[in-house]
């Protein structure tokens, strides 16, 4: 399986988890899944996917991955709570494929945290390193009908 296919599968995993959190009214958890999804998309659309793949080479897969000190450099952001959510998901998930998605996403956040600041996605000034500045999508129920 290619890294692109793995990240695409992780996108589906993220969305399933985000929707479950939304359905249960867990807004903080839903926000963290959106955060993870934003960085997954960032790597896919900016070409960083190849650097991410290179960063994975030579690393032995661990049952429960360790998190590097890179994330500690970003105190006060959603990075640490997102990794905690992924580790919790990893511990609670019995399915091997979902465990692999969680491990991949932990490695992804660690990779992004280790990027030079010029390579990281730009963020809004009010929220430090939390969500890239991409247009937010509104749910179909919140969209205004088109005239015509």
């Amino acid at each position: 399986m290619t890294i692109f296919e793995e990240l695409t599968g992780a996108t589906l995993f993220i969305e399933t988890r985000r929707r479950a959190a939304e359905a249960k009214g867990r807004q903080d958890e839903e926000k963290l899944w959106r955060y993870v999804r934003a960085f997954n998309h960032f790597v896919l659309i900016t070409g960083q996917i190849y650097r991410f793949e290179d960063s994975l080479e030579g690393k032995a897969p661990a049952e429960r991955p360790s998190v590097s000190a890179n994330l500690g450099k970003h105190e006060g952001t959603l990075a640490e709570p997102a990794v905690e959510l992924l580790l919790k998901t990893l511990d609670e998930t019995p399915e091997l494929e979902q465990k692999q998605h969680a491990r991949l996403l932990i490695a992804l956040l660690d990779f992004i945290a280790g990027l030079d600041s010029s390579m990281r996605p730009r963020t809004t000034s009010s929220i430090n390193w939390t969500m890239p500045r991409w247009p937010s999508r509104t749910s179909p129920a919140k969209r205004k009908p088109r005239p015509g």
Side-chain angles (χ1 to χ4, degrees):
M1 185 177 292
T2 68
I3 190 68
F4 179 80
E5 292 168 331
E6 288 182 46
L7 286 171
T8 300
T11 301
L12 298 173
F13 169 75
I14 292 166
E15 191 57 23
T16 300
R17 294 292 178 144
R18 187 204 61 77
R19 286 185 181 178
E22 179 183 43
K24 293 177 182 174
R26 297 189 305 232
Q27 294 176 348
D28 290 341
E29 182 179 331
E30 181 187 2
K31 182 179 180 179
L32 291 173
W33 286 116
R34 287 180 188 274
Y35 174 83
V36 172
R37 181 182 65 190
F39 288 108
N40 188 35
H41 285 253
F42 168 78
V43 168
L44 286 167
I45 65 172
T46 62
Q48 296 294 323
I49 189 170
Y50 303 108
R51 289 184 67 198
F52 175 54
E53 183 177 36
D54 290 345
S55 77
L56 295 174
E57 286 184 23
K59 290 184 180 178
E63 182 63 29
R64 194 166 203 282
S66 60
V67 180
S68 80
N70 290 329
L71 283 170
K73 297 176 187 174
H74 303 284
E75 290 181 27
T77 69
L78 293 177
E80 288 185 44
V83 170
E84 289 171 11
L85 174 65
L86 289 166
L87 287 169
K88 178 182 174 204
T89 302
L90 179 64
D91 293 341
E92 295 174 352
T93 301
E95 292 129 23
L96 292 176
E97 185 177 14
Q98 289 188 11
K99 284 184 177 289
Q100 182 57 32
H101 292 317
R103 285 186 198 102
L104 182 70
L105 293 168
I106 291 166
L108 175 69
L109 289 177
D110 190 47
F111 166 75
I112 290 175
L115 287 176
D116 178 280
S117 62
S118 66
M119 299 297 292
R120 261 188 254 123
R122 298 193 193 290
T123 58
T124 61
S125 59
S126 62
I127 305 174
N128 184 22
W129 202 64
T130 56
M131 294 292 282
R133 287 188 211 183
W134 295 322
S136 62
R137 295 183 181 159
T138 56
S139 68
K142 294 180 183 177
R143 291 186 190 142
K144 294 180 183 177
R146 290 183 177 163

